[in-house]
Amino acid sequence: GAQETDEREQGYIVLVDIVEFSQKPEYAQRRCMQQLSELVSQSTLLTQVIGQSPQKYVLNCTGDGFILVTTAAPVKNHPDHLLGFVLDICEGVEKWSDAQLDAHVHFRVRIGVHQGNFYMGLDVFGRTNAIGPGINVAARIAGICDPGQVLLSQVVVNDLGGTTEGDHRVVGRGNLKTAPMWSVVVKYGAELQVVPWTAEAGGKKYGSSSVPK
């Protein structure tokens, strides 16, 4: 486990899971994770996201995906850059998968985005990690996504401008759109307010505005 600090942090959490990862052959799991890691490192918007809190961010693999945690407080354009990073991942995954002849290495992701509280600390390998309620919420949001879907918590939508339905344009990227909010019941009977998110870039649509199944 992680060694917690006494100071509670607040910031954004992006949790990405590869859909049906455990059902893929071992070689396909490796290739999918390698490609996802490359897409993360190649995102120019990632630099802008963590650049707002260069000393306090976590970007770790989770076994079947990755988690990004940044302690930047809600500031102008920060959620937009964060969602631009999400768009980079969605777009990259689809382009790469479409180009593969081997169906086993085709993959889709589900993504949960939240803004909440957590604690920074060191894991058993001495690497910086984050634990706490905000991480748990992001994981539950990602867990209820349909394949290829991105869900935002109500807090993130509020940071975008307080509307649950409307367009938000990321500088240099496509149009990002939030759909009407839905209440969903997750683990242990907890109720979450989530908003499906879609984006259009390069003539293609990413995400899904449908209610999670």
Side-chain angles (χ1 to χ4, degrees):
Q3 299 176 4
E4 293 183 27
T5 65
D6 292 331
E7 184 179 356
R8 186 172 66 173
E9 307 280 2
Q10 183 176 11
Y12 293 98
I13 305 113
V14 178
L15 200 142
V16 180
D17 285 336
I18 295 176
V19 177
E20 297 180 345
F21 182 80
S22 62
Q23 299 178 30
K24 293 182 177 295
E26 187 175 328
Y27 80 91
Q29 291 181 359
R30 291 197 305 271
R31 288 197 64 190
C32 291
M33 281 300 298
Q34 287 169 356
Q35 183 58 31
L36 185 57
S37 297
E38 287 184 19
L39 292 173
V40 171
S41 63
Q42 291 169 1
S43 171
T44 55
L45 283 169
L46 174 62
T47 304
Q48 297 180 47
V49 171
I50 64 177
Q52 299 194 33
S53 55
Q55 304 303 318
K56 291 188 176 182
Y57 76 92
V58 171
L59 180 59
N60 285 340
C61 289
T62 59
D64 60 353
F66 72 89
I67 184 171
L68 169 67
V69 181
T70 172
T71 60
V75 293
K76 185 178 180 181
N77 292 331
H78 186 71
D80 288 343
H81 289 320
L82 193 73
L83 294 179
F85 166 66
V86 170
L87 176 56
D88 281 348
I89 300 304
C90 294
E91 190 174 24
V93 166
E94 184 165 317
K95 285 183 178 179
W96 187 81
S97 292
D98 286 349
Q100 305 308 305
L101 297 178
D102 183 350
H104 289 302
V105 298
H106 288 210
F107 71 99
R108 301 182 75 186
V109 293
R110 50 186 174 225
I111 303 178
V113 185
H114 181 51
Q115 192 250 97
N117 298 319
F118 48 83
Y119 295 89
M120 307 289 277
L122 299 179
D123 63 17
V124 294
F125 301 106
R127 299 173 303 197
T128 302
N129 210 332
I131 60 174
I135 310 299
N136 298 337
V137 171
R140 289 171 183 170
I141 292 174
I144 61 174
C145 289
D146 290 335
Q149 190 168 45
V150 179
L151 292 178
L152 315 180
S153 70
Q154 181 180 2
V155 186
V156 175
V157 175
N158 290 343
D159 289 346
L160 284 166
T163 177
T164 57
E165 187 171 8
D167 291 324
H168 304 279
R169 182 175 179 81
V170 169
V171 177
R173 301 297 282 123
N175 284 315
L176 313 180
K177 188 171 184 177
T178 52
M181 187 174 298
W182 297 92
S183 293
V184 293
V185 178
V186 293
K187 197 173 181 180
Y188 305 125
E191 185 174 323
L192 293 176
Q193 304 290 322
V194 296
V195 175
W197 169 95
T198 59
E200 292 182 7
K204 283 198 167 187
K205 181 179 177 180
Y206 302 94
S208 169
S209 58
S210 62
V211 183
K213 295 177 180 153

